[in-house]
Amino acid sequence: MENYEQLIRQLVDAAMAGAGKTGAGCGAGTCADGSDIPVGVSNRHLHLSQQDLNVLFGSGYELTAIKDLGQPGQFACKETLTVCGPKGAIEKVRVLGPVRSRTQVEILAGDGFKLGVKAPVRQSGDLTGTPGVTLVGPKGSVVLTEGTIVAQRHIHMTPAEAERYGVRDGDVVSIDFDTERGGVMRNVLIRATDTSALECHVDTEEANAFGVSSKSHFRIIK
Amino acid sequence: MENYEQLIRQLVDAAMAGAGKTGAGCGAGTCADGSDIPVGVSNRHLHLSQQDLNVLFGSGYELTAIKDLGQPGQFACKETLTVCGPKGAIEKVRVLGPVRSRTQVEILAGDGFKLGVKAPVRQSGDLTGTPGVTLVGPKGSVVLTEGTIVAQRHIHMTPAEAERYGVRDGDVVSIDFDTERGGVMRNVLIRATDTSALECHVDTEEANAFGVSSKSHFRIIK
């Protein structure tokens, strides 16, 4: 019977988290509830292999960085492409660098309707069985057989940070935004690697639906 | 000590509700938890006064219905307009009928960035202090001084249905979507009138962010 009090305390915490009530989560150096984690809002974008970059922009082409992104070594490029599907096209889709081993197109769920492409919600790099699109650049076109996804919302952090938040790489958590249009996003993936910078990535539709910007804060609900 | 079990049960229920687990909410004729309420997904659209309709489409113009909507007497029209703001324009925005006493433009949060218009999240009809846009039609243009909103998500129902769900007109509830991209939307307005048809209205960004379609179901969390 002596464990009841602890059990009840855990259940009260879980119930309050579900109801959007906030506890005092901030200690020395970090907020254990995640309310110190910056939010990054991603619009549609794509990553290119060097092989596809050569076809689209010319042999040996090098990407032109115009803005560093939150994750170390990642940058937005001057270059944009037209993404085409069977039902429509979207112009000026931003290329992110550096080049990767495989080309990956990250669209918004709404883009899928416009393009006529049923892109699944996937983690970056998990492209098996995803649909293709056609990329059109200034020097050529690439017909992809796969590689189009809607990015699963996720939180980048180091393993040390993960320990502080009580999560591990690959965990799936919920996050609670206390905004005017707020609520809880479930199925948020924890991606903990040594080279990560602390940042939660949601896409523009998710940010708009929740009334969230890069200045917003959330709490992690495990 | 004998009340601990009941207390724990209540707390488990509350925690499970927060975590998106579903209980047995359906009795005779209705699901008390709201899981029988149809979802309607609204794209950007606008309602026109007869005065503005005259300017945009010609004096004495009558709207052409092409599709009945969920709410009795409401319909989508053949007519579309261009909506313009200081930073951009959106073409082919659908007009909904019938005409109303005031023109009201309901955009997506993302449209606000494209147009350069800071539209607040508001209930339909609550237009005081909202920004204007310029509407361009085949016969003329209308410069609105106000009337642009992002519609607050809401559930239409009759007062009798509200009683069955244990809510009242004007209440604000949360709704829980158990989808792959699911979660909880807070601040969902209950709109109960005698002429309402049972339907939950979210916009396309909200639907996309939650992976929700007109075939989705949710539970009301009060």
Side-chain angles (χ1 to χ4, degrees), chain A residues 37-117:
Chain A
I37 300 177
V39 175
V41 181
S42 304
N43 202 347
R44 64 182 75 87
H45 63 270
L46 49 85
H47 307 273
L48 293 174
S49 67
Q50 184 64 50
Q51 187 180 353
D52 289 342
L53 182 63
N54 291 345
V55 175
L56 292 159
F57 290 94
S59 183
Y61 192 86
E62 289 183 19
L63 291 168
T64 312
I66 55 170
K67 187 186 174 190
D68 285 338
L69 299 177
Q71 295 307 302
Q74 304 291 306
F75 51 88
C77 303
K78 183 191 71 173
E79 291 78 9
T80 63
L81 291 170
T82 301
V83 175
C84 306
K87 286 196 175 172
I90 300 176
E91 300 175 348
K92 296 181 184 167
V93 179
R94 184 70 52 189
V95 179
L96 303 191
V99 291
R100 293 193 177 184
S101 59
R102 294 182 69 188
T103 292
Q104 175 172 303
V105 184
E106 300 183 40
I107 63 173
L108 307 175
D111 294 343
F113 296 106
K114 179 164 189 184
L115 296 169
V117 170

Side-chain angles (χ1 to χ4, degrees), chain A residues 136-218:
Chain A
V136 180
K139 292 289 171 69
S141 297
V142 170
V143 180
L144 299 172
T145 54
E146 63 181 20
T148 312
I149 64 172
V150 175
Q152 182 181 359
R153 47 208 182 205
H154 55 274
I155 310 177
H156 293 286
M157 58 180 71
T158 63
E161 285 161 341
E163 195 168 329
R164 288 211 299 268
Y165 296 119
V167 296
R168 289 181 178 198
D169 182 54
D171 278 1
V172 172
V173 300
S174 298
I175 60 176
D176 186 314
F177 286 97
D178 191 19
T179 47
E180 182 189 13
R181 264 192 147 184
V184 176
M185 294 184 190
R186 277 197 288 271
N187 298 333
V188 182
L189 183 68
I190 300 294
R191 294 178 59 185
T193 73
D194 288 328
T195 56
S196 296
L198 187 62
E199 192 173 37
C200 175
H201 282 180
V202 300
D203 73 22
T204 52
E205 286 183 321
E206 293 174 317
N208 289 339
F210 279 78
V212 160
S213 74
S214 58
K215 292 170 188 163
S216 299
H217 297 279
F218 60 83

Side-chain angles (χ1 to χ4, degrees), chain B residues 34-50:
Chain B
S35 56
D36 60 339
I37 300 177
V39 175
V41 181
S42 305
N43 202 347
R44 65 182 72 90
H45 64 269
L46 49 85
H47 307 273
L48 293 174
S49 67
Q50 185 62 50

Side-chain angles (χ1 to χ4, degrees), chain B residues 63-120:
Chain B
L63 291 167
T64 311
I66 54 170
K67 186 185 175 192
D68 285 338
L69 300 177
Q71 296 307 302
Q74 304 291 306
F75 51 88
C77 303
K78 184 190 68 173
E79 291 79 8
T80 63
L81 291 171
T82 300
V83 174
C84 308
K87 285 197 177 172
I90 300 174
E91 300 176 348
K92 296 180 183 167
V93 178
R94 185 70 52 188
V95 179
L96 303 191
V99 292
R100 293 193 176 183
S101 59
R102 294 180 70 187
T103 292
Q104 175 172 305
V105 184
E106 300 183 40
I107 63 173
L108 307 175
D111 295 342
F113 295 107
K114 179 164 189 183
L115 296 169
V117 170
K118 288 190 181 174

